[in-house]
Amino acid sequence: MDFERNESADPGRPVEPVPDVDERIEVPTAAGMRALGERLAGLLRAGDLVVLSGSLGSGKTTLTQGIGAGLGVRGPVTSPTFVIARQHPSLRGGPGLVHADAYRLGSRAEVDDLDLDTDVGTSVTVVEWGEGLVEDLAPGFLQIAITAAPARRGPPAAPGAPGRNGEDGDEPRSVRVVGRGDRWRRAAPGLRRALARPGSS
């Protein structure tokens, strides 16, 4: 699913509605990405769906680790690629975290087989590689796209820079956060404040 409004000249083709929140920030380091996840966790509640996109190693799992830390769930939060979905119960009475990876899934029917909808009402559900597959799980959702930030002048990154478990090292990332639905229309002011905090620009 493209974030942009569909301006097709075909009048019979449905037009993607303008999102209720559409913000872009730059995150300079992996630590900053985790901190962003922790700030977002302060807004997330049971029933929320977060759909992550980005290339391998872009920082999707790093962001989810921050969300898990902010929610106070049992860890560790790692890439769920080979088990497809992991459940992390809360350690402090809040919503749990369901962390799923749709990379190996090719259809919505395969998503249905995971029964993610049985947990979405009581947990925060984060799905990596979920674009076009999982948006129907909730009436509203956050779409977060992580890409490499525009190159800046400066010394090259040292070989073997931090980036364990195939995740990102300390290279700047551009993060686009799109909120859709009434849930994020109401939460837009708080979401913008969370994105504007130090370490996210």
Side-chain angles (χ1 to χ4, degrees):
M1 177 184 295
D2 193 340
F3 288 160
E4 301 296 338
R5 184 182 178 92
N6 180 358
E7 299 292 351
S8 170
D10 180 358
R13 185 175 179 179
V15 176
E16 182 73 17
V18 174
D20 299 292
V21 181
D22 190 345
E23 300 289 331
R24 297 175 189 262
I25 62 171
E26 185 171 312
V27 179
T29 64
M33 189 68 77
R34 291 187 185 90
L36 173 60
E38 290 192 46
R39 296 197 303 276
L40 290 175
L43 298 171
L44 295 171
R45 65 191 189 194
D48 282 341
L49 172 66
V50 182
V51 183
L52 304 182
S53 65
S55 60
L56 288 169
S58 62
K60 299 183 297 297
T61 299
T62 301
L63 180 68
T64 308
Q65 288 169 345
I67 291 174
L71 291 174
V73 301
R74 181 180 300 156
V77 175
T78 59
S79 176
T81 300
F82 296 105
V83 297
I84 302 183
R86 285 195 174 99
Q87 295 187 7
H88 299 273
S90 174
L91 296 176
R92 59 190 188 200
L97 170 67
V98 174
H99 183 201
D101 189 322
Y103 182 75
R104 298 174 184 274
L105 303 181
S107 69
R108 295 196 180 199
E110 290 181 284
V111 173
D112 290 343
D113 289 341
L114 296 179
D115 292 328
L116 291 177
D117 55 337
T118 62
D119 298 304
V120 74
T122 57
S123 303
V124 172
T125 301
V126 178
V127 185
E128 301 186 25
W129 305 97
E131 278 186 283
L133 293 171
V134 301
E135 290 87 351
D136 291 343
L137 290 174
F141 55 91
L142 275 186
Q143 238 173 336
I144 302 179
I146 306 173
T147 57
R152 292 180 174 180
R153 292 182 179 180
R164 299 179 181 85
N165 298 324
E167 272 299 320
D168 58 307
D170 283 344
E171 298 179 2
R173 297 288 193 252
S174 178
V175 180
R176 186 177 184 186
V177 180
V178 170
R180 297 190 185 276
D182 289 342
R183 160 78 173 104
W184 294 106
R185 184 181 300 112
R186 295 191 298 269
L191 179 58
R192 292 189 177 103
R193 286 193 296 270
L195 296 175
R197 290 281 295 276
S200 64
S201 61

